[in-house]
Amino acid sequence: MPQVTKESFARALQALVRKYEADRDTYLSPQYNEMQTRTQFISPLLEALGWDVRNEAGVPYHLCEVWEEKGETHGRPDYTFRLNGQTKFFLEVKSPSEALRTDDILQTKRYAWNSRDIFFAGVCDFEQFRFFDASLRPDEKRPYDGEAFHLIYSEYAEKIDKLWELSRDRVAAGSLDQFLRKDRKSLLQKIPVDKDFLDNLTTWRHDLANAIHAQNPEHDVQALNDIVQRLLDRIIFIRIAEDRKVIDQRQLWDIAVIWEESGGRRNIMEQLVQVFQEFNTRFNGEIFKPHPCEEIKIESHVLVKIIRQLYPPKSNYRFDVIGVELLGSIYERYLGNTLRITPKRVFIEPKPEVRKAGGVYYTPQYIVDYIVRNTVGKLVEDKSPKEVDKIRILDPACGSGSFLIGAFQFLIDWYLNYYREHPKEAAAQGLVPMTRTDPDGNLRLSFYAKSLIIQHNLYGVDIDPQAVEVTMMSLYLKMLEGELGIQIPKQDKLPELKYNVRCGNSLISPDIEDDKPLSAEERQRINPFNWNDRENGFGDILQSGGFDAVIGNPPYIGFHGFMKDKKYLKEAFASAKGKFDYYLPFIERGLSLLREGGLLSFICPTNFTKRGHGEALRAHIAKSVRVEEICDFQDVQVFSGALNYVGIFLFRKSVPLSEQYLLYRRRSLSDPGSRIRQATLGRDPWVFRDEQKTKIVESIEKSAPVRLAELTSGISEGIVTGMNDVFLMPLEAARHVGLESDVIRHCIRGNEVRRYFLEPIRDVVLYPYRLKTCRTEALPEARLRKFKHAWKYLNSRRRELGGRPYFESSSKAWYELWCQRDLRLLTAPKIVVPELAESSRFAIADSTQFYGDTVCGITLRPDLRESLNYLLGLLNSKLIDFYYREITVPKANGFYIYKTMFLKRIPIRRIDFNSQADVHVHHEVSRLIQGMLELNKKKHSDKLAPTELQRLEREIAATDAEIDNLVYGLYGITAEERKIIEAQN
């Protein structure tokens, strides 16, 4: 296309306006139709704005800038504008002879609103052009809400700037964002379709539950949940099939209208059951099979109200537009709640596990697509349809079915691409064709072919029967997607899914009852599942080798309150150690279900790679599993509204080779990543570094084989009120209660520790020493209660403390126990470091200073010949800072964790005191550190002149450089290695 400028657009626009004015009466006549308007005015207008309407670039259809609907559009907008594969806005065209009606405007706005992430839509007949912020929920009473501009053709030239904002280049630059309404009223109307539908779904669920329970009190809460779910699923499924023109339209609506016209005398449930049975006969499937929901009694007006709200004008929903993936996200949140029956009514409340987790968080689509592409995508490479037909894909915690839907869509696309390239094979698959052509001329996979994918490739398990039903429904809806306007052949049925999607506990097998039978309530809650059962499990697949891929987003938080479950899991899974969460045994279970060479990919917390509770799983993976790829999102929050540190893990069930490498990405899937040798990952916390840095780390460890732990009396985390026998309180509070100084010690907190320096300490510790001298009457109970943790601890020791929660106990045993545990470390000179820091921040604390729970303390052995200053110099050096970063795990915002388990591993270069050279270096480092301590003390003194401050900073930098030179020499670091180390610092 020729280059477009605002000036060229102005010339083209003026020519179109002159043409329109010259023969306006003809264009306003009823004989002038919409197609002529598009051809003669709208398409030329769009081309003048720079849009490639006719695809002169010759790109594939899915990459076209403009999708123009031809002929009958089934309610879709006439033009869809796209850049880089993303839709930017819609435009509906009408004939000038028909004045733009509110229905036209609402139809276009509803299409955009139901598309969820498309915020703009316009309506144009060239006589006038209206453009809207379509992120506002459409309202038939206020159809013009969100209007960005309204132009008459005679105003086009004068207000060309408005139209120019819709040009291709301006849209690419983000011009549409200016049209988003930000006033308070509009913000209240910005209710996304998924939230709106979820709110209605919840209301309908509540109304149905109360109405059914009122007339059918014999059903318990489980049966009521099941009946309400099935009834809602059927009604919504039929509405979706209607909007997609798979079945006759407005069937439910007609039932409601007939009921109203009869004066409410007919039983609407009987008619609905008739429709359900006809649907089952016509399509088969699971959700329309005979079910107790067909036998309930219910007031008809409750059902009529729901049906009315699913059709215009009361409904804004376009079920031919709302994607199955979006419906899945809605149902995922819906499944987070359950019914509770009380003597008077039925309530909806969050499930216990959801309440504990802080909500339901649906996996973003880009995560699903990435995991599917890197598992299923790898499995289908260089395979034929017959080979792909044998691939078995499992989600062991399928929820609403998002990962199975993602795998389904991927396979649909794969088969389509294959049959485009091999058209003869599409026709050679038997009597039923594998592909068909839709009314727009696009090649699509046949209903029969999609049915084969579901039955042969996709498998799921979930503990929640409602989730299983939603997964089945989602898969069926995905089958109907793209069947718009197609009458499905009579021989085609929805496949049975009861053999593919099972209900049960993926982690607990029936052998949990080997020792003691479960009660009926326990069995219902635990819902054991036998994977090896050929009738009710997946025994055939496992006996033939296992699944080819295991994918998903397993539950994160475990129920530690159920001791029977916990005991079983601890015995059944090596990964279920300590205070574990469910995702650990899910990884272990998933790996066990794979065939040799199969792939597992989960999105789950990264904690198991860092914390003690993941040690067994790390060891198992390092020894028996090939780690193909890890994307650690670190502090990037993947799940909207949740604070989780998660990553994507891709494992292959195969013993790793000696030179096995993995791809490690940080924070983003678009990060090119680093190649990491898997041999560096073992039982210890996993730290991901490239090969170059690994060699330096190994060199440092070789030059200094002694670890810091071997030189200390102890490395410990600081005291915590309520866990240690101390009372932590602000210094000012301590002064006001009049306590004697020998029971008070300053307590260092993490934010007070600087490199070579301690900030003024603001807290103190009251500890049980010479307790009889403590004037406790000056520390009233009311004041103690303000310190919640201290009060809870002290109150629990009321009897031991003489009946009062004060420090006046004469119990020597209590004092001696505490002394043995902490005082020997706390009351000696030590090096302290904050638990979180961007880089090395080690300082010296004296015997009068304790440290709190945000600090780690390092107390050296009394017999150690190396000085405290020498050790401090090593720990604060660039070399040890580099080493520590490479062995520890980063936390959010660039901070590193200074914990006992990592500090113990620091390699310390011992001094050979028989070597004159070593002794000289030791004395030099100690001298320089003493100077560094004095310089920092001066630097932090009050009222320092700017010139003096600059001089001190120069001296500190020079001293630092001297110390680093000595340390590099001690550890034998080469010039090349030094460059790499200092590049990080």
Side-chain angles (χ1 to χ4, degrees):
M1 289 185 66
Q3 186 176 2
V4 171
T5 64
K6 191 174 181 181
E7 290 71 26
S8 70
F9 172 60
R11 290 192 297 271
L13 182 63
Q14 287 168 2
L16 286 170
V17 170
R18 284 195 300 269
K19 175 182 174 181
Y20 186 79
E21 284 179 328
D23 203 8
R24 184 166 175 252
D25 289 342
T26 299
Y27 302 134
L28 291 174
S29 67
Q31 289 75 30
Y32 192 77
N33 62 33
E34 178 187 314
M35 184 56 67
Q36 291 170 304
T37 307
R38 286 162 61 177
T39 303
Q40 296 183 18
F41 288 98
I42 306 303
S43 287
L45 174 68
L46 298 173
E47 288 173 343
L49 285 166
W51 293 100
D52 187 2
V53 177
R54 290 175 289 183
N55 189 22
E56 293 180 11
V59 299
Y61 179 75
H62 70 281
L63 294 177
C64 286
E65 288 184 357
V66 181
W67 289 346
E68 184 180 1
E69 297 297 333
K70 307 292 184 183
E72 172 59 47
T73 64
H74 304 292
R76 296 186 296 241
D78 295 299
Y79 294 95
T80 299
F81 298 86
R82 308 173 81 249
L83 288 173
N84 300 319
Q86 291 187 332
T87 299
K88 296 298 182 180
F89 67 98
F90 299 120
L91 182 64
E92 178 70 13
V93 176
K94 296 297 176 183
S95 167
S97 62
E98 302 174 9
L100 293 184
R101 299 169 302 166
T102 57
D103 284 351
D104 300 328
I105 292 166
L106 284 170
Q107 175 184 313
T108 308
K109 290 173 69 176
R110 280 173 178 152
Y111 197 96
W113 184 72
N114 279 273
S115 298
R116 178 61 170 81
D117 296 319
I118 315 305
F119 298 151
F120 306 98
V123 186
C124 182
D125 60 2
F126 202 78
E127 176 79 14
Q128 55 182 313
F129 197 136
R130 307 187 87 124
F131 197 74
F132 296 90
D133 170 1
S135 65
L136 280 62
R137 181 173 60 184
D139 187 339
E140 62 175 334
K141 296 178 181 177
R142 298 191 297 272
Y144 301 109
D145 279 357
E147 190 165 68
F149 63 76
H150 176 203
L151 301 177
I152 307 300
Y153 78 95
S154 57
E155 300 175 312
Y156 288 173
E158 178 189 346
K159 299 181 179 179
I160 190 174
D161 288 346
K162 291 286 187 185
L163 290 174
W164 180 244
E165 293 303 285
L166 302 185
S167 68
R168 183 198 180 282
D169 289 347
R170 290 295 299 141
V171 170
S175 65
L176 295 180
D177 289 346
Q178 67 183 291
F179 297 129
L180 288 171
R181 303 292 289 270
K182 297 176 182 176
D183 57 281
R184 189 171 180 275
K185 177 184 172 184
S186 296
L187 291 174
L188 292 173
Q189 290 178 259
K190 286 182 184 289
I191 302 171
V193 62
D194 54 336
K195 183 183 185 306
D196 188 79
F197 189 65
L198 178 63
D199 290 344
N200 276 325
L201 200 60
T202 303
T203 300
W204 300 333
R205 183 186 197 181
H206 183 262
D207 292 347
L208 278 176
N210 275 296
I212 294 170
H213 180 62
Q215 296 199 39
N216 309 266
E218 68 277 10
H219 292 302
D220 63 16
V221 68
Q222 184 183 15
L224 185 62
N225 259 309
D226 186 37
I227 289 167
V228 171
Q229 174 86 31
R230 184 64 61 94
L231 196 53
L232 268 179
D233 284 350
R234 290 180 174 189
I235 291 170
I236 290 165
F237 193 94
I238 289 171
R239 274 296 293 119
I240 293 171
E242 286 179 353
D243 270 9
R244 293 180 180 175
K245 297 182 173 59
V246 173
I247 61 173
D248 293 336
Q249 306 239 348
R250 303 179 78 82
Q251 292 189 31
L252 300 178
W253 175 269
D254 290 343
I255 290 173
V257 169
I258 291 169
W259 178 82
E260 288 171 341
E261 290 175 350
S262 72
R265 289 189 296 273
R266 305 180 63 147
N267 184 346
I268 197 173
M269 193 62 203
E270 290 178 3
Q271 293 174 282
L272 284 177
V273 170
Q274 227 175 355
V275 173
F276 297 158
Q277 290 171 347
E278 288 171 6
F279 206 99
N280 184 45
T281 302
R282 172 73 177 82
F283 291 103
N284 194 30
E286 302 297 335
I287 63 175
F288 288 95
K289 297 285 187 192
H291 188 270
C293 74
E294 298 172 0
E295 301 167 5
I296 56 149
K297 298 173 185 175
I298 184 172
E299 292 287 345
S300 293
H301 69 87
V302 177
L303 292 166
V304 169
K305 180 183 175 184
I306 293 171
I307 290 170
R308 283 284 195 184
Q309 290 175 339
L310 282 165
Y311 288 88
K314 288 187 179 296
S315 170
N316 282 312
Y317 306 126
R318 290 282 306 269
F319 292 108
D320 56 331
V321 178
I322 300 174
V324 177
E325 291 79 8
L326 186 58
L327 280 170
S329 79
I330 295 167
Y331 267 105
E332 191 83 8
R333 286 168 280 175
Y334 169 91
L335 292 170
N337 293 316
T338 189
L339 300 176
R340 180 168 64 88
I341 298 175
T342 68
K344 293 186 177 180
R345 57 181 303 185
V346 178
F347 290 93
I348 295 176
E349 63 181 16
K351 292 177 180 175
E353 62 267 33
V354 171
R355 192 182 299 113
K356 186 172 183 179
V360 174
Y361 306 106
Y362 188 73
T363 311
Q365 191 60 40
Y366 75 94
I367 297 289
V368 174
D369 293 342
Y370 186 85
I371 286 176
V372 168
R373 191 165 62 248
N374 283 278
T375 50
V376 183
K378 289 183 178 181
L379 293 170
V380 301
E381 286 177 358
D382 303 321
K383 286 187 171 60
S384 67
K386 285 186 178 180
E387 292 172 310
V388 171
D389 185 64
K390 297 176 182 177
I391 291 173
R392 305 292 180 256
I393 302 155
L394 169 73
D395 183 346
C398 60
S400 65
S402 60
F403 281 89
L404 294 179
I405 292 298
F408 192 13
Q409 183 63 60
F410 183 92
L411 290 172
I412 289 172
D413 294 340
W414 184 88
Y415 275 106
L416 272 176
N417 289 332
Y418 185 91
Y419 288 134
R420 283 193 189 102
E421 296 172 5
H422 307 84
K424 291 182 180 179
E425 289 192 39
Q429 294 292 322
L431 297 175
V432 184
M434 304 302 286
T435 59
R436 65 172 179 80
T437 304
D438 70 13
D440 293 331
N442 300 313
L443 190 71
R444 292 193 178 277
L445 215 58
S446 69
F447 196 81
Y448 170 74
K450 289 188 283 189
S451 178
L452 291 180
I453 294 173
I454 285 184
Q455 293 178 86
H456 295 178
N457 299 118
L458 306 176
Y459 299 86
V461 178
D462 201 280
I463 193 172
D464 185 351
Q466 291 178 286
V468 169
E469 183 170 314
V470 169
T471 294
M472 290 179 178
M473 179 176 166
S474 297
L475 289 169
Y476 287 147
L477 290 174
K478 194 68 181 177
M479 281 192 71
L480 296 179
E481 214 170 53
E483 303 297 334
L484 186 67
I486 296 295
Q487 289 300 313
I488 299 169
K490 292 289 184 183
Q491 71 270 16
D492 284 342
K493 304 276 188 179
L494 292 171
E496 283 192 323
L497 288 179
K498 63 183 180 182
Y499 303 109
N500 292 68
V501 187
R502 303 283 197 176
C503 186
N505 190 323
S506 287
L507 299 181
I508 298 182
S509 301
D511 62 0
I512 191 173
E513 298 195 71
D514 286 355
D515 295 334
K516 180 183 177 184
L518 297 172
S519 66
E521 183 182 345
E522 284 178 325
R523 192 174 296 108
Q524 180 181 318
R525 176 181 61 76
I526 294 173
N527 197 4
F529 181 68
N530 188 350
W531 286 94
N532 294 299
D533 190 314
R534 301 183 70 169
E535 293 294 324
N536 301 304
F538 297 114
D540 288 339
I541 293 175
L542 295 178
Q543 284 183 21
S544 64
F547 291 91
D548 298 275
V550 175
I551 57 178
N553 179 9
Y556 297 169
I557 295 178
F559 270 123
H560 306 303
F562 296 123
M563 294 310 296
K564 191 174 185 70
D565 307 36
K566 188 174 181 180
K567 181 176 181 292
Y568 177 89
L569 293 174
K570 282 180 173 291
E571 292 173 355
F573 295 94
S575 57
K577 298 292 180 271
K579 192 177 179 182
F580 66 93
D581 285 330
Y582 274 175
Y583 74 92
L584 277 81
F586 259 100
I587 293 174
E588 189 176 341
R589 171 69 82 200
L591 289 168
S592 73
L593 296 170
L594 284 173
R595 64 164 174 80
E596 188 66 22
L599 295 169
L600 178 145
S601 187
F602 282 165
I603 179 167
C604 61
T606 54
N607 273 345
F608 85 91
T609 68
K610 311 169 185 179
R611 307 294 186 207
H613 66 257
E615 184 177 344
L617 182 59
R618 290 195 299 268
H620 172 65
I621 292 171
K623 181 181 178 182
S624 308
V625 178
R626 291 189 189 180
V627 185
E628 301 263 321
E629 183 178 331
I630 296 173
C631 179
D632 184 353
F633 291 104
Q634 296 181 342
D635 58 335
V636 175
Q637 296 304 308
V638 170
F639 298 97
S640 177
L643 183 62
N644 274 319
Y645 299 102
V646 298
I648 293 177
F649 297 86
L650 178 60
F651 301 134
R652 186 182 294 276
K653 187 175 181 179
S654 180
V655 176
L657 303 173
S658 57
E659 287 301 309
Q660 184 76 36
Y661 285 85
L662 64 106
L663 182 66
Y664 177 69
R665 304 181 194 273
R666 295 178 190 271
R667 297 174 60 85
S668 167
L669 295 175
S670 60
D671 176 56
S674 306
R675 289 180 76 246
I676 308 294
R677 194 149 47 94
Q678 185 174 336
T680 63
L681 307 181
R683 181 179 292 274
D684 290 334
W686 288 356
V687 179
F688 303 99
R689 53 179 175 264
D690 61 36
E691 205 166 1
Q692 208 175 31
K693 290 180 179 177
T694 297
K695 287 179 179 177
I696 298 176
V697 167
E698 291 172 350
S699 171
I700 292 171
E701 291 173 343
K702 187 176 180 181
S703 66
V706 176
R707 301 304 174 98
L708 181 60
E710 300 173 54
L711 309 179
T712 67
S713 298
I715 302 176
S716 66
E717 296 167 20
I719 53 179
V720 183
T721 293
M723 290 179 65
N724 301 102
D725 303 339
V726 295
F727 182 16
L728 187 64
M729 59 194 299
L731 181 59
E732 288 301 314
R735 287 172 179 158
H736 280 100
V737 300
L739 297 168
E740 293 187 8
S741 60
D742 56 3
V743 296
I744 293 177
R745 290 292 181 270
H746 287 95
C747 186
I748 304 163
R749 311 310 297 272
N751 57 5
E752 293 161 353
V753 182
R754 295 286 177 260
R755 194 162 174 268
Y756 295 117
F757 180 76
L758 293 176
E759 295 277 5
I761 299 169
R762 296 182 296 276
D763 290 340
V764 296
V765 163
L766 166 65
Y767 69 102
Y769 175 67
R770 292 184 62 188
L771 292 168
K772 291 181 180 179
T773 66
C774 195
R775 296 206 301 275
T776 52
E777 66 276 3
L779 193 63
E781 185 173 313
R783 177 166 292 181
L784 266 172
R785 282 183 178 276
K786 292 181 181 180
F787 303 94
K788 294 179 182 178
H789 293 297
W791 171 257
K792 182 179 178 182
Y793 175 80
L794 296 172
N795 205 34
S796 69
R797 294 290 187 93
R798 205 178 262 273
R799 179 178 298 176
E800 186 177 342
L801 299 175
R804 300 169 65 195
Y806 302 142
F807 282 114
E808 58 180 9
S809 168
S810 58
S811 169
K812 290 183 180 179
W814 175 33
Y815 166 61
E816 287 169 0
L817 174 67
W818 191 82
C819 284
Q820 290 168 9
R821 189 169 63 195
D822 292 309
L823 278 187
R824 60 190 175 84
L825 302 179
L826 293 170
T827 56
K830 59 239 163 221
I831 294 172
V832 290
V833 61
E835 285 194 346
L836 282 179
E838 307 94 322
S839 58
S840 296
R841 275 167 48 187
F842 292 87
I844 291 176
D846 63 35
S847 59
T848 68
Q849 295 167 329
F850 287 8
Y851 46 94
D853 58 332
T854 55
V855 174
C856 269
I858 303 163
T859 306
L860 301 182
R861 287 198 333 242
D863 62 335
L864 197 67
R865 293 188 66 183
E866 285 88 350
S867 70
L868 201 61
N869 279 2
Y870 171 75
L871 267 295
L872 183 65
L874 296 188
L875 294 174
N876 271 331
S877 69
K878 285 180 179 176
L879 182 140
I880 295 300
D881 183 52
F882 165 84
Y883 177 87
Y884 195 86
R885 289 183 189 212
E886 294 303 321
I887 66 154
T888 191
V889 287
K891 206 170 174 64
N893 303 321
F895 282 78
Y896 287 82
I897 303 170
Y898 287 82
K899 287 276 192 180
T900 304
M901 61 190 295
F902 299 116
L903 290 168
K904 287 179 177 179
R905 295 170 55 193
I906 295 176
I908 298 298
R909 170 63 159 79
R910 296 298 306 271
I911 295 296
D912 179 0
F913 284 94
N914 294 319
S915 164
Q916 191 173 351
D918 265 22
V919 171
H920 173 72
V921 172
H922 176 268
H923 291 338
E924 274 299 291
V925 171
S926 299
R927 180 185 65 79
L928 289 168
I929 292 302
Q930 189 58 42
M932 183 69 86
L933 295 174
E934 292 168 4
L935 287 168
N936 273 280
K937 187 175 181 181
K938 289 178 183 176
K939 178 184 172 182
H940 292 89
S941 61
D942 294 335
K943 298 178 181 178
L944 208 61
T947 54
E948 179 65 8
L949 180 61
Q950 291 171 5
R951 184 189 68 77
L952 287 171
E953 286 177 342
R954 285 195 300 271
E955 283 193 47
I956 289 171
T959 307
D960 247 338
E962 286 188 71
I963 296 168
D964 284 328
N965 282 334
L966 290 169
V967 174
Y968 285 137
L970 277 170
Y971 285 82
I973 297 299
T974 67
E976 199 60 39
E977 289 172 334
R978 180 169 178 170
K979 284 181 184 177
I980 296 169
I981 291 170
E982 297 196 345
Q984 175 176 288
N985 288 276

